[in-house]
Amino acid sequence: EVQLVESGGGLVQPGGSLRLSCAASGFTFSSYSMNWVRQAPGKGLEWVSYISSSSSTIYYADSVKGRFTISRDNAKNSLYLQMNSLRDEDTAVYYCARGDPRLRGAFDIWGQGTMVTVSS
Amino acid sequence: SYVLTQPPSVSVAPGQTARITCGGNNIGSKSVHWYQQKPGQAPVLVVYDDSDRPSGIPERFSGSNSGNTATLTISRVEAGDEADYYCQVWDSSSDWVFGGGTKLTVL
């Protein structure tokens, strides 16, 4: 079964750090680009970051640039998001999502999400 | 930055046709993807590249894209179609962009 499972969410104080992980299974992870997308409570989807299959290309949303770092380990079939200098407005469910080049990059597989709460 | 504009809500009776729009500057030149999200669940891709459906998505879901507006059309709407719908594009200046989302209510 093709699956993405996020972990690492939790409660953190403003200014703190957190590292999210996304474990992939059921497909050749190293062949696909990956993304992080977040959703604040009661709000819409916000794309956060993109990493190409070989990690050669990385993009960030302006809202997280300089604070978040995306990475992947193809040998471990895992995607990561290192989040530093966290702010209240980073509170959200964070999803990892696969980008399929056959579908013009559309996000065809999503994890169930992990909640990040930034609060003192 | 590139902006996608969706109506906050659309209502339709069961069996009727729902049309959800996504506006953007010259969006007709871009590839538009659509996602369905039900409460408490992760989004699901329902249309990609303007009008193609992933496997497992009913033919009732279709899409079009021209000029400054892309449209997701849901024919013969069912109660189970009630959800939030998001459009998405890739823009060279903004990277991936999502619309604000549209809540579809089945009356």
Side-chain angles (χ1 to χ4, degrees), chain A residues 35 37 39 43-47 50 59-61 65 95 102-108 110-113, chain B residues 31 33 35 37 40-45 48-49 54 84 86 88 90 94-100:
Chain A
N35 298 269
V37 177
Q39 186 169 36
K43 302 297 185 182
L45 301 175
E46 179 188 14
W47 170 79
Y50 160 97
Y59 301 115
Y60 297 100
K65 202 170 293 183
Y95 297 98
R102 298 168 297 180
L103 309 184
R104 298 292 298 273
F107 300 176
D108 65 332
W110 295 66
Q112 85 289 351
Chain B
S31 177
H33 312 311
Y35 300 87
Q37 186 182 33
Q41 299 184 18
V44 172
L45 178 68
Y48 68 93
D49 197 15
D84 293 327
Y86 296 89
Q88 178 200 34
W90 172 270
S94 303
D95 304 319
W96 285 112
V97 181
F98 285 100

mmCIF file of all heavy atoms in Angstrom, chain A residues 35 37 39 43-47 50 59-61 65 95 102-108 110-113, chain B residues 31 33 35 37 40-45 48-49 54 84 86 88 90 94-100:
data_model
loop_
_atom_site.group_PDB
_atom_site.id
_atom_site.type_symbol
_atom_site.label_atom_id
_atom_site.label_comp_id
_atom_site.label_asym_id
_atom_site.label_seq_id
_atom_site.Cartn_x
_atom_site.Cartn_y
_atom_site.Cartn_z
ATOM 1 N N ASN A 35 6.727 17.313 -0.832
ATOM 2 C CA ASN A 35 6.322 18.634 -0.363
ATOM 3 C C ASN A 35 5.827 18.577 1.078
ATOM 4 O O ASN A 35 5.366 17.531 1.539
ATOM 5 C CB ASN A 35 5.176 19.181 -1.224
ATOM 6 C CG ASN A 35 5.556 19.364 -2.674
ATOM 7 O OD1 ASN A 35 6.008 20.419 -3.096
ATOM 8 N ND2 ASN A 35 5.361 18.311 -3.460
ATOM 9 N N VAL A 37 2.935 20.680 3.268
ATOM 10 C CA VAL A 37 1.787 21.582 3.176
ATOM 11 C C VAL A 37 1.206 21.697 4.573
ATOM 12 O O VAL A 37 1.126 20.701 5.290
ATOM 13 C CB VAL A 37 0.725 21.030 2.201
ATOM 14 C CG1 VAL A 37 -0.502 21.951 2.163
ATOM 15 C CG2 VAL A 37 1.310 20.856 0.805
ATOM 16 N N GLN A 39 -1.898 23.458 7.322
ATOM 17 C CA GLN A 39 -3.265 23.973 7.414
ATOM 18 C C GLN A 39 -3.505 24.445 8.837
ATOM 19 O O GLN A 39 -3.606 23.630 9.756
ATOM 20 C CB GLN A 39 -4.268 22.899 7.015
ATOM 21 C CG GLN A 39 -5.699 23.376 6.930
ATOM 22 C CD GLN A 39 -6.604 22.346 6.284
ATOM 23 O OE1 GLN A 39 -6.447 21.147 6.471
ATOM 24 N NE2 GLN A 39 -7.580 22.817 5.502
ATOM 25 N N LYS A 43 -8.510 27.026 8.691
ATOM 26 C CA LYS A 43 -8.037 27.777 7.521
ATOM 27 C C LYS A 43 -7.773 26.850 6.338
ATOM 28 O O LYS A 43 -7.980 25.641 6.420
ATOM 29 C CB LYS A 43 -6.752 28.550 7.869
ATOM 30 C CG LYS A 43 -6.913 29.514 9.035
ATOM 31 C CD LYS A 43 -7.921 30.601 8.729
ATOM 32 C CE LYS A 43 -7.979 31.611 9.862
ATOM 33 N NZ LYS A 43 -9.004 32.671 9.607
ATOM 34 N N GLY A 44 -7.328 27.439 5.227
ATOM 35 C CA GLY A 44 -7.073 26.689 4.019
ATOM 36 C C GLY A 44 -5.678 26.085 3.980
ATOM 37 O O GLY A 44 -4.899 26.191 4.934
ATOM 38 N N LEU A 45 -5.384 25.456 2.856
ATOM 39 C CA LEU A 45 -4.092 24.817 2.662
ATOM 40 C C LEU A 45 -3.039 25.856 2.295
ATOM 41 O O LEU A 45 -3.303 26.769 1.515
ATOM 42 C CB LEU A 45 -4.185 23.777 1.539
ATOM 43 C CG LEU A 45 -5.186 22.645 1.723
ATOM 44 C CD1 LEU A 45 -5.246 21.771 0.487
ATOM 45 C CD2 LEU A 45 -4.848 21.813 2.955
ATOM 46 N N GLU A 46 -1.847 25.682 2.846
ATOM 47 C CA GLU A 46 -0.718 26.557 2.526
ATOM 48 C C GLU A 46 0.489 25.684 2.204
ATOM 49 O O GLU A 46 0.962 24.933 3.055
ATOM 50 C CB GLU A 46 -0.380 27.497 3.682
ATOM 51 C CG GLU A 46 0.807 28.404 3.383
ATOM 52 C CD GLU A 46 1.285 29.210 4.577
ATOM 53 O OE1 GLU A 46 0.894 28.895 5.727
ATOM 54 O OE2 GLU A 46 2.055 30.169 4.382
ATOM 55 N N TRP A 47 1.003 25.788 0.993
ATOM 56 C CA TRP A 47 2.221 25.075 0.629
ATOM 57 C C TRP A 47 3.393 25.664 1.415
ATOM 58 O O TRP A 47 3.514 26.884 1.557
ATOM 59 C CB TRP A 47 2.463 25.197 -0.867
ATOM 60 C CG TRP A 47 3.807 24.708 -1.275
ATOM 61 C CD1 TRP A 47 4.197 23.409 -1.451
ATOM 62 C CD2 TRP A 47 4.963 25.510 -1.546
ATOM 63 N NE1 TRP A 47 5.524 23.369 -1.812
ATOM 64 C CE2 TRP A 47 6.012 24.640 -1.865
ATOM 65 C CE3 TRP A 47 5.199 26.887 -1.524
ATOM 66 C CZ2 TRP A 47 7.292 25.094 -2.189
ATOM 67 C CZ3 TRP A 47 6.464 27.346 -1.842
ATOM 68 C CH2 TRP A 47 7.495 26.456 -2.164
ATOM 69 N N TYR A 50 9.211 22.436 -0.964
ATOM 70 C CA TYR A 50 9.344 21.420 -2.006
ATOM 71 C C TYR A 50 10.795 20.950 -2.062
ATOM 72 O O TYR A 50 11.724 21.752 -1.908
ATOM 73 C CB TYR A 50 8.952 22.035 -3.342
ATOM 74 C CG TYR A 50 9.467 21.301 -4.577
ATOM 75 C CD1 TYR A 50 8.657 20.394 -5.246
ATOM 76 C CD2 TYR A 50 10.753 21.523 -5.077
ATOM 77 C CE1 TYR A 50 9.102 19.742 -6.382
ATOM 78 C CE2 TYR A 50 11.219 20.865 -6.202
ATOM 79 C CZ TYR A 50 10.388 19.984 -6.855
ATOM 80 O OH TYR A 50 10.837 19.329 -7.977
ATOM 81 N N TYR A 59 12.612 24.555 -2.652
ATOM 82 C CA TYR A 59 11.895 25.818 -2.604
ATOM 83 C C TYR A 59 11.193 25.948 -1.251
ATOM 84 O O TYR A 59 10.803 24.958 -0.642
ATOM 85 C CB TYR A 59 10.821 25.901 -3.698
ATOM 86 C CG TYR A 59 11.323 25.773 -5.112
ATOM 87 C CD1 TYR A 59 10.955 24.691 -5.909
ATOM 88 C CD2 TYR A 59 12.140 26.748 -5.682
ATOM 89 C CE1 TYR A 59 11.395 24.579 -7.212
ATOM 90 C CE2 TYR A 59 12.582 26.637 -6.989
ATOM 91 C CZ TYR A 59 12.209 25.539 -7.743
ATOM 92 O OH TYR A 59 12.644 25.433 -9.044
ATOM 93 N N TYR A 60 11.001 27.197 -0.847
ATOM 94 C CA TYR A 60 10.282 27.490 0.392
ATOM 95 C C TYR A 60 9.274 28.609 0.155
ATOM 96 O O TYR A 60 9.506 29.525 -0.645
ATOM 97 C CB TYR A 60 11.246 27.945 1.491
ATOM 98 C CG TYR A 60 12.258 26.929 1.918
ATOM 99 C CD1 TYR A 60 13.566 26.973 1.443
ATOM 100 C CD2 TYR A 60 11.919 25.911 2.809
ATOM 101 C CE1 TYR A 60 14.503 26.044 1.825
ATOM 102 C CE2 TYR A 60 12.861 24.966 3.204
ATOM 103 C CZ TYR A 60 14.144 25.034 2.709
ATOM 104 O OH TYR A 60 15.073 24.104 3.097
ATOM 105 N N ALA A 61 8.184 28.550 0.889
ATOM 106 C CA ALA A 61 7.268 29.677 0.927
ATOM 107 C C ALA A 61 7.946 30.826 1.657
ATOM 108 O O ALA A 61 8.760 30.612 2.564
ATOM 109 C CB ALA A 61 5.978 29.284 1.646
ATOM 110 N N LYS A 65 10.806 30.906 4.854
ATOM 111 C CA LYS A 65 12.170 30.986 4.336
ATOM 112 C C LYS A 65 13.121 31.515 5.404
ATOM 113 O O LYS A 65 12.830 32.481 6.095
ATOM 114 C CB LYS A 65 12.182 31.896 3.107
ATOM 115 C CG LYS A 65 13.339 31.697 2.166
ATOM 116 C CD LYS A 65 13.113 32.482 0.878
ATOM 117 C CE LYS A 65 11.961 31.939 0.067
ATOM 118 N NZ LYS A 65 11.777 32.655 -1.228
ATOM 119 N N TYR A 95 1.192 18.423 6.635
ATOM 120 C CA TYR A 95 1.080 17.241 5.791
ATOM 121 C C TYR A 95 2.320 17.110 4.908
ATOM 122 O O TYR A 95 2.804 18.122 4.374
ATOM 123 C CB TYR A 95 -0.125 17.354 4.856
ATOM 124 C CG TYR A 95 -1.479 17.431 5.497
ATOM 125 C CD1 TYR A 95 -2.123 18.654 5.684
ATOM 126 C CD2 TYR A 95 -2.148 16.268 5.897
ATOM 127 C CE1 TYR A 95 -3.384 18.721 6.241
ATOM 128 C CE2 TYR A 95 -3.412 16.333 6.457
ATOM 129 C CZ TYR A 95 -4.018 17.566 6.626
ATOM 130 O OH TYR A 95 -5.271 17.628 7.193
ATOM 131 N N ARG A 102 4.161 12.481 -13.482
ATOM 132 C CA ARG A 102 3.220 12.005 -14.496
ATOM 133 C C ARG A 102 1.910 12.784 -14.445
ATOM 134 O O ARG A 102 1.121 12.755 -15.395
ATOM 135 C CB ARG A 102 2.948 10.514 -14.292
ATOM 136 C CG ARG A 102 4.170 9.628 -14.424
ATOM 137 C CD ARG A 102 3.894 8.219 -13.921
ATOM 138 N NE ARG A 102 3.568 8.221 -12.493
ATOM 139 C CZ ARG A 102 3.289 7.118 -11.799
ATOM 140 N NH1 ARG A 102 3.276 5.948 -12.422
ATOM 141 N NH2 ARG A 102 3.022 7.193 -10.509
ATOM 142 N N LEU A 103 1.676 13.447 -13.321
ATOM 143 C CA LEU A 103 0.438 14.206 -13.137
ATOM 144 C C LEU A 103 0.738 15.710 -13.101
ATOM 145 O O LEU A 103 0.042 16.476 -12.433
ATOM 146 C CB LEU A 103 -0.252 13.778 -11.838
ATOM 147 C CG LEU A 103 -0.471 12.289 -11.609
ATOM 148 C CD1 LEU A 103 -1.252 12.056 -10.319
ATOM 149 C CD2 LEU A 103 -1.202 11.652 -12.780
ATOM 150 N N ARG A 104 1.776 16.127 -13.792
ATOM 151 C CA ARG A 104 2.183 17.531 -13.831
ATOM 152 C C ARG A 104 2.478 18.049 -12.431
ATOM 153 O O ARG A 104 2.229 19.199 -12.104
ATOM 154 C CB ARG A 104 1.113 18.401 -14.491
ATOM 155 C CG ARG A 104 0.828 18.042 -15.942
ATOM 156 C CD ARG A 104 2.013 18.352 -16.856
ATOM 157 N NE ARG A 104 2.342 19.764 -16.886
ATOM 158 C CZ ARG A 104 1.786 20.646 -17.713
ATOM 159 N NH1 ARG A 104 0.875 20.247 -18.584
ATOM 160 N NH2 ARG A 104 2.146 21.920 -17.683
ATOM 161 N N GLY A 105 3.037 17.171 -11.604
ATOM 162 C CA GLY A 105 3.462 17.585 -10.277
ATOM 163 C C GLY A 105 2.378 17.607 -9.221
ATOM 164 O O GLY A 105 2.636 17.972 -8.064
ATOM 165 N N ALA A 106 1.177 17.231 -9.586
ATOM 166 C CA ALA A 106 0.068 17.243 -8.609
ATOM 167 C C ALA A 106 0.398 16.351 -7.422
ATOM 168 O O ALA A 106 1.121 15.369 -7.538
ATOM 169 C CB ALA A 106 -1.227 16.777 -9.274
ATOM 170 N N PHE A 107 -0.148 16.711 -6.268
ATOM 171 C CA PHE A 107 0.117 15.999 -5.021
ATOM 172 C C PHE A 107 -0.860 14.825 -4.909
ATOM 173 O O PHE A 107 -1.987 14.978 -4.449
ATOM 174 C CB PHE A 107 -0.036 16.927 -3.830
ATOM 175 C CG PHE A 107 0.892 18.118 -3.846
ATOM 176 C CD1 PHE A 107 0.787 19.087 -2.849
ATOM 177 C CD2 PHE A 107 1.858 18.286 -4.822
ATOM 178 C CE1 PHE A 107 1.635 20.193 -2.835
ATOM 179 C CE2 PHE A 107 2.720 19.383 -4.824
ATOM 180 C CZ PHE A 107 2.595 20.338 -3.827
ATOM 181 N N ASP A 108 -0.425 13.648 -5.329
ATOM 182 C CA ASP A 108 -1.363 12.539 -5.439
ATOM 183 C C ASP A 108 -1.458 11.680 -4.198
ATOM 184 O O ASP A 108 -2.430 10.938 -4.043
ATOM 185 C CB ASP A 108 -1.031 11.675 -6.655
ATOM 186 C CG ASP A 108 0.318 10.986 -6.545
ATOM 187 O OD1 ASP A 108 1.216 11.520 -5.850
ATOM 188 O OD2 ASP A 108 0.472 9.908 -7.159
ATOM 189 N N TRP A 110 -1.018 11.872 0.120
ATOM 190 C CA TRP A 110 -0.856 12.726 1.290
ATOM 191 C C TRP A 110 -0.790 11.854 2.542
ATOM 192 O O TRP A 110 -1.435 10.816 2.622
ATOM 193 C CB TRP A 110 -2.054 13.668 1.437
ATOM 194 C CG TRP A 110 -2.220 14.678 0.345
ATOM 195 C CD1 TRP A 110 -2.524 14.437 -0.981
ATOM 196 C CD2 TRP A 110 -2.131 16.098 0.477
ATOM 197 N NE1 TRP A 110 -2.626 15.620 -1.671
ATOM 198 C CE2 TRP A 110 -2.398 16.649 -0.799
ATOM 199 C CE3 TRP A 110 -1.873 16.964 1.537
ATOM 200 C CZ2 TRP A 110 -2.396 18.041 -1.040
ATOM 201 C CZ3 TRP A 110 -1.871 18.338 1.307
ATOM 202 C CH2 TRP A 110 -2.132 18.863 0.035
ATOM 203 N N GLY A 111 -0.037 12.332 3.522
ATOM 204 C CA GLY A 111 -0.071 11.692 4.820
ATOM 205 C C GLY A 111 -1.295 12.140 5.595
ATOM 206 O O GLY A 111 -2.079 12.960 5.119
ATOM 207 N N GLN A 112 -1.442 11.629 6.811
ATOM 208 C CA GLN A 112 -2.605 11.967 7.635
ATOM 209 C C GLN A 112 -2.410 13.274 8.395
ATOM 210 O O GLN A 112 -3.362 13.809 8.946
ATOM 211 C CB GLN A 112 -2.896 10.823 8.621
ATOM 212 C CG GLN A 112 -2.095 10.859 9.926
ATOM 213 C CD GLN A 112 -0.615 10.525 9.759
ATOM 214 O OE1 GLN A 112 -0.164 10.100 8.690
ATOM 215 N NE2 GLN A 112 0.146 10.703 10.834
ATOM 216 N N GLY A 113 -1.170 13.762 8.409
ATOM 217 C CA GLY A 113 -0.876 15.034 9.049
ATOM 218 C C GLY A 113 -0.396 14.878 10.486
ATOM 219 O O GLY A 113 -0.714 13.906 11.169
ATOM 220 N N SER B 31 -1.274 24.760 -15.517
ATOM 221 C CA SER B 31 -1.896 23.469 -15.236
ATOM 222 C C SER B 31 -2.531 23.538 -13.849
ATOM 223 O O SER B 31 -1.850 23.814 -12.860
ATOM 224 C CB SER B 31 -0.830 22.375 -15.276
ATOM 225 O OG SER B 31 -1.379 21.126 -14.943
ATOM 226 N N HIS B 33 -4.718 21.946 -10.660
ATOM 227 C CA HIS B 33 -5.080 20.729 -9.940
ATOM 228 C C HIS B 33 -6.154 21.062 -8.912
ATOM 229 O O HIS B 33 -6.187 22.181 -8.378
ATOM 230 C CB HIS B 33 -3.864 20.135 -9.231
ATOM 231 C CG HIS B 33 -2.648 20.025 -10.087
ATOM 232 N ND1 HIS B 33 -2.675 19.459 -11.352
ATOM 233 C CD2 HIS B 33 -1.364 20.409 -9.866
ATOM 234 C CE1 HIS B 33 -1.455 19.507 -11.875
ATOM 235 N NE2 HIS B 33 -0.637 20.079 -10.995
ATOM 236 N N TYR B 35 -8.316 19.601 -5.344
ATOM 237 C CA TYR B 35 -8.310 18.682 -4.216
ATOM 238 C C TYR B 35 -9.633 18.790 -3.465
ATOM 239 O O TYR B 35 -10.205 19.876 -3.338
ATOM 240 C CB TYR B 35 -7.162 19.000 -3.258
ATOM 241 C CG TYR B 35 -5.804 18.904 -3.916
ATOM 242 C CD1 TYR B 35 -5.269 19.997 -4.579
ATOM 243 C CD2 TYR B 35 -5.082 17.715 -3.899
ATOM 244 C CE1 TYR B 35 -4.047 19.915 -5.213
ATOM 245 C CE2 TYR B 35 -3.852 17.628 -4.533
ATOM 246 C CZ TYR B 35 -3.342 18.734 -5.187
ATOM 247 O OH TYR B 35 -2.133 18.649 -5.823
ATOM 248 N N GLN B 37 -11.268 17.971 0.327
ATOM 249 C CA GLN B 37 -10.911 17.701 1.713
ATOM 250 C C GLN B 37 -12.158 17.657 2.568
ATOM 251 O O GLN B 37 -12.881 18.648 2.680
ATOM 252 C CB GLN B 37 -9.940 18.753 2.262
ATOM 253 C CG GLN B 37 -9.432 18.405 3.660
ATOM 254 C CD GLN B 37 -8.505 19.453 4.232
ATOM 255 O OE1 GLN B 37 -8.645 20.641 3.971
ATOM 256 N NE2 GLN B 37 -7.526 19.008 5.017
ATOM 257 N N GLY B 40 -11.521 16.695 9.011
ATOM 258 C CA GLY B 40 -10.662 15.783 9.745
ATOM 259 C C GLY B 40 -9.836 14.851 8.887
ATOM 260 O O GLY B 40 -9.175 13.948 9.425
ATOM 261 N N GLN B 41 -9.875 15.042 7.571
ATOM 262 C CA GLN B 41 -9.146 14.160 6.666
ATOM 263 C C GLN B 41 -8.120 14.938 5.846
ATOM 264 O O GLN B 41 -8.198 16.155 5.715
ATOM 265 C CB GLN B 41 -10.106 13.441 5.730
ATOM 266 C CG GLN B 41 -11.113 12.546 6.438
ATOM 267 C CD GLN B 41 -11.987 11.787 5.460
ATOM 268 O OE1 GLN B 41 -11.676 11.650 4.277
ATOM 269 N NE2 GLN B 41 -13.107 11.270 5.950
ATOM 270 N N ALA B 42 -7.170 14.209 5.301
ATOM 271 C CA ALA B 42 -6.191 14.816 4.402
ATOM 272 C C ALA B 42 -6.844 15.096 3.044
ATOM 273 O O ALA B 42 -7.834 14.458 2.682
ATOM 274 C CB ALA B 42 -5.005 13.882 4.215
ATOM 275 N N PRO B 43 -6.319 16.047 2.315
ATOM 276 C CA PRO B 43 -6.850 16.313 0.971
ATOM 277 C C PRO B 43 -6.667 15.118 0.051
ATOM 278 O O PRO B 43 -5.759 14.306 0.231
ATOM 279 C CB PRO B 43 -6.000 17.504 0.493
ATOM 280 C CG PRO B 43 -5.493 18.137 1.740
ATOM 281 C CD PRO B 43 -5.280 17.000 2.697
ATOM 282 N N VAL B 44 -7.560 15.055 -0.948
ATOM 283 C CA VAL B 44 -7.512 14.013 -1.966
ATOM 284 C C VAL B 44 -7.512 14.691 -3.329
ATOM 285 O O VAL B 44 -8.346 15.572 -3.586
ATOM 286 C CB VAL B 44 -8.720 13.060 -1.844
ATOM 287 C CG1 VAL B 44 -8.761 12.095 -3.026
ATOM 288 C CG2 VAL B 44 -8.678 12.302 -0.526
ATOM 289 N N LEU B 45 -6.618 14.277 -4.202
ATOM 290 C CA LEU B 45 -6.565 14.829 -5.556
ATOM 291 C C LEU B 45 -7.767 14.310 -6.342
ATOM 292 O O LEU B 45 -7.960 13.099 -6.447
ATOM 293 C CB LEU B 45 -5.260 14.407 -6.223
ATOM 294 C CG LEU B 45 -5.037 14.841 -7.669
ATOM 295 C CD1 LEU B 45 -4.857 16.354 -7.754
ATOM 296 C CD2 LEU B 45 -3.816 14.122 -8.259
ATOM 297 N N TYR B 48 -6.424 16.637 -12.051
ATOM 298 C CA TYR B 48 -5.085 17.173 -12.274
ATOM 299 C C TYR B 48 -4.942 17.642 -13.717
ATOM 300 O O TYR B 48 -5.682 17.205 -14.595
ATOM 301 C CB TYR B 48 -4.003 16.150 -11.917
ATOM 302 C CG TYR B 48 -3.942 14.949 -12.842
ATOM 303 C CD1 TYR B 48 -3.090 14.931 -13.935
ATOM 304 C CD2 TYR B 48 -4.746 13.832 -12.601
ATOM 305 C CE1 TYR B 48 -3.034 13.828 -14.775
ATOM 306 C CE2 TYR B 48 -4.709 12.737 -13.428
ATOM 307 C CZ TYR B 48 -3.842 12.736 -14.517
ATOM 308 O OH TYR B 48 -3.802 11.645 -15.355
ATOM 309 N N ASP B 49 -4.005 18.532 -13.928
ATOM 310 C CA ASP B 49 -3.744 19.056 -15.258
ATOM 311 C C ASP B 49 -5.027 19.530 -15.945
ATOM 312 O O ASP B 49 -5.335 19.116 -17.064
ATOM 313 C CB ASP B 49 -3.026 18.017 -16.117
ATOM 314 C CG ASP B 49 -2.371 18.625 -17.351
ATOM 315 O OD1 ASP B 49 -2.233 19.869 -17.399
ATOM 316 O OD2 ASP B 49 -2.014 17.865 -18.268
ATOM 317 N N PRO B 54 -7.527 11.263 -11.556
ATOM 318 C CA PRO B 54 -6.738 10.122 -11.073
ATOM 319 C C PRO B 54 -7.612 8.872 -11.055
ATOM 320 O O PRO B 54 -8.848 8.966 -11.026
ATOM 321 C CB PRO B 54 -6.342 10.537 -9.654
ATOM 322 C CG PRO B 54 -6.574 12.009 -9.585
ATOM 323 C CD PRO B 54 -7.686 12.294 -10.535
ATOM 324 N N ASP B 84 -14.595 20.608 1.401
ATOM 325 C CA ASP B 84 -13.887 21.791 0.932
ATOM 326 C C ASP B 84 -13.094 21.399 -0.313
ATOM 327 O O ASP B 84 -12.519 20.310 -0.378
ATOM 328 C CB ASP B 84 -12.929 22.305 2.003
ATOM 329 C CG ASP B 84 -13.663 22.844 3.225
ATOM 330 O OD1 ASP B 84 -14.775 23.394 3.067
ATOM 331 O OD2 ASP B 84 -13.126 22.708 4.331
ATOM 332 N N TYR B 86 -10.110 22.751 -3.131
ATOM 333 C CA TYR B 86 -9.012 23.692 -3.333
ATOM 334 C C TYR B 86 -8.430 23.534 -4.743
ATOM 335 O O TYR B 86 -8.194 22.405 -5.192
ATOM 336 C CB TYR B 86 -7.886 23.447 -2.331
ATOM 337 C CG TYR B 86 -8.267 23.675 -0.892
ATOM 338 C CD1 TYR B 86 -8.800 22.656 -0.125
ATOM 339 C CD2 TYR B 86 -8.091 24.928 -0.296
ATOM 340 C CE1 TYR B 86 -9.153 22.860 1.205
ATOM 341 C CE2 TYR B 86 -8.435 25.141 1.033
ATOM 342 C CZ TYR B 86 -8.968 24.102 1.771
ATOM 343 O OH TYR B 86 -9.317 24.318 3.085
ATOM 344 N N GLN B 88 -5.088 24.516 -7.270
ATOM 345 C CA GLN B 88 -3.648 24.652 -7.071
ATOM 346 C C GLN B 88 -2.964 24.815 -8.427
ATOM 347 O O GLN B 88 -3.358 24.163 -9.399
ATOM 348 C CB GLN B 88 -3.097 23.402 -6.379
ATOM 349 C CG GLN B 88 -1.595 23.397 -6.152
ATOM 350 C CD GLN B 88 -1.050 21.991 -5.923
ATOM 351 O OE1 GLN B 88 -1.546 21.018 -6.494
ATOM 352 N NE2 GLN B 88 -0.026 21.876 -5.098
ATOM 353 N N TRP B 90 1.204 25.770 -10.221
ATOM 354 C CA TRP B 90 2.605 26.102 -10.047
ATOM 355 C C TRP B 90 2.851 27.416 -10.778
ATOM 356 O O TRP B 90 2.490 27.559 -11.943
ATOM 357 C CB TRP B 90 3.507 25.021 -10.624
ATOM 358 C CG TRP B 90 4.963 25.434 -10.639
ATOM 359 C CD1 TRP B 90 5.624 26.080 -11.647
ATOM 360 C CD2 TRP B 90 5.899 25.276 -9.590
ATOM 361 N NE1 TRP B 90 6.921 26.314 -11.279
ATOM 362 C CE2 TRP B 90 7.131 25.843 -10.020
ATOM 363 C CE3 TRP B 90 5.835 24.709 -8.314
ATOM 364 C CZ2 TRP B 90 8.260 25.836 -9.227
ATOM 365 C CZ3 TRP B 90 6.976 24.700 -7.530
ATOM 366 C CH2 TRP B 90 8.170 25.271 -7.979
ATOM 367 N N SER B 94 5.965 32.239 -7.536
ATOM 368 C CA SER B 94 5.374 31.924 -6.226
ATOM 369 C C SER B 94 5.508 30.454 -5.857
ATOM 370 O O SER B 94 5.096 30.067 -4.766
ATOM 371 C CB SER B 94 3.897 32.309 -6.203
ATOM 372 O OG SER B 94 3.718 33.675 -6.501
ATOM 373 N N ASP B 95 6.046 29.637 -6.749
ATOM 374 C CA ASP B 95 6.131 28.193 -6.565
ATOM 375 C C ASP B 95 4.702 27.626 -6.496
ATOM 376 O O ASP B 95 3.847 28.045 -7.250
ATOM 377 C CB ASP B 95 6.972 27.853 -5.339
ATOM 378 C CG ASP B 95 8.370 28.469 -5.431
ATOM 379 O OD1 ASP B 95 8.934 28.441 -6.543
ATOM 380 O OD2 ASP B 95 8.881 28.973 -4.422
ATOM 381 N N TRP B 96 4.430 26.686 -5.588
ATOM 382 C CA TRP B 96 3.092 26.114 -5.514
ATOM 383 C C TRP B 96 2.145 27.080 -4.796
ATOM 384 O O TRP B 96 2.478 27.632 -3.756
ATOM 385 C CB TRP B 96 3.108 24.782 -4.775
ATOM 386 C CG TRP B 96 3.659 23.655 -5.579
ATOM 387 C CD1 TRP B 96 4.822 22.967 -5.388
ATOM 388 C CD2 TRP B 96 3.033 23.056 -6.731
ATOM 389 N NE1 TRP B 96 4.965 22.004 -6.346
ATOM 390 C CE2 TRP B 96 3.895 22.032 -7.177
ATOM 391 C CE3 TRP B 96 1.839 23.279 -7.431
ATOM 392 C CZ2 TRP B 96 3.598 21.232 -8.289
ATOM 393 C CZ3 TRP B 96 1.540 22.494 -8.530
ATOM 394 C CH2 TRP B 96 2.413 21.484 -8.949
ATOM 395 N N VAL B 97 0.961 27.246 -5.367
ATOM 396 C CA VAL B 97 -0.042 28.147 -4.816
ATOM 397 C C VAL B 97 -1.374 27.420 -4.713
ATOM 398 O O VAL B 97 -1.797 26.752 -5.663
ATOM 399 C CB VAL B 97 -0.218 29.397 -5.702
ATOM 400 C CG1 VAL B 97 -1.254 30.346 -5.091
ATOM 401 C CG2 VAL B 97 1.108 30.122 -5.891
ATOM 402 N N PHE B 98 -2.038 27.573 -3.569
ATOM 403 C CA PHE B 98 -3.392 27.042 -3.390
ATOM 404 C C PHE B 98 -4.387 28.200 -3.371
ATOM 405 O O PHE B 98 -4.081 29.295 -2.882
ATOM 406 C CB PHE B 98 -3.528 26.299 -2.060
ATOM 407 C CG PHE B 98 -2.875 24.943 -2.031
ATOM 408 C CD1 PHE B 98 -1.627 24.782 -1.449
ATOM 409 C CD2 PHE B 98 -3.515 23.842 -2.565
ATOM 410 C CE1 PHE B 98 -1.020 23.541 -1.407
ATOM 411 C CE2 PHE B 98 -2.919 22.591 -2.526
ATOM 412 C CZ PHE B 98 -1.665 22.434 -1.950
ATOM 413 N N GLY B 99 -5.573 27.926 -3.875
ATOM 414 C CA GLY B 99 -6.660 28.867 -3.696
ATOM 415 C C GLY B 99 -7.138 28.820 -2.254
ATOM 416 O O GLY B 99 -6.757 27.929 -1.482
ATOM 417 N N GLY B 100 -7.981 29.764 -1.878
ATOM 418 C CA GLY B 100 -8.444 29.864 -0.505
ATOM 419 C C GLY B 100 -9.418 28.783 -0.078
ATOM 420 O O GLY B 100 -9.690 28.621 1.117
#
